[in-house]
Every structure is written in C-alpha cells, then in structure tokens.
Amino acid sequence: VGDIDLLGDLVGGGGYEQLASHSSQVTMFGRSVRLMDLPWLIRLKRAAGLPKDHEALAELEALQEERVAGEDP
C-alpha cells in the first residue's frame, strides 16, 4: 500500500457525486473505501498539474497500457 490522498473537490473531476461513478468500493484494513478507477485517476492527476502528480503519471500510464494490452484477444 502506498500513499493515500483524501480529497474533496478535485480539479477536472468535481465533487463526490461526479467522481463516485468512476470508482469502486473495496475493503482495506477492515474499512470500506472507494478507489478511483485508473483512467480517471490519470485524468485527475493531469488536471491537477502538481509536481508529485506529474511524477506519478508515467507509471500510471504504463500500468494502463499493460491493462489494455492484456484485454486484447
């Protein structure tokens, strides 16, 4: 488990109501939490434009490419 960002409104994403449809609910450490899906996480990090987000984008985009390649027949 890496860093966890707890956020309200997000640049490029809106508030909870708009973001919830791009997330899934999972249980971690005995707690139910919502995790942003990968395409939207990439979108939000691009929109935020923060140095820490920019650094993570290459890794997230590579992960997304691996997932898409794994879906090809």
Side-chain angles (χ1 to χ4, degrees):
V1 174
D3 294 337
I4 298 174
D5 289 331
L6 304 174
L7 305 165
D9 288 344
L10 299 176
V11 173
Y16 181 83
E17 293 78 20
Q18 293 82 20
L19 296 168
S21 64
H22 300 286
S23 67
S24 58
Q25 192 165 351
V26 299
T27 301
M28 295 177 62
F29 307 108
R31 300 280 185 191
S32 179
V33 297
R34 296 201 72 83
L35 300 178
M36 189 64 47
D37 67 33
L38 188 54
W40 265 76
L41 180 59
I42 291 169
R43 173 185 169 165
L44 295 170
K45 288 197 172 288
R46 268 199 201 110
L50 299 173
K52 70 173 189 154
D53 294 327
H54 180 72
E55 292 173 9
L57 274 172
E59 186 174 343
L60 293 172
E61 289 169 340
L63 180 58
Q64 178 66 13
E65 288 175 15
E66 287 179 22
R67 286 185 172 185
V68 169
E71 293 173 359
D72 289 341

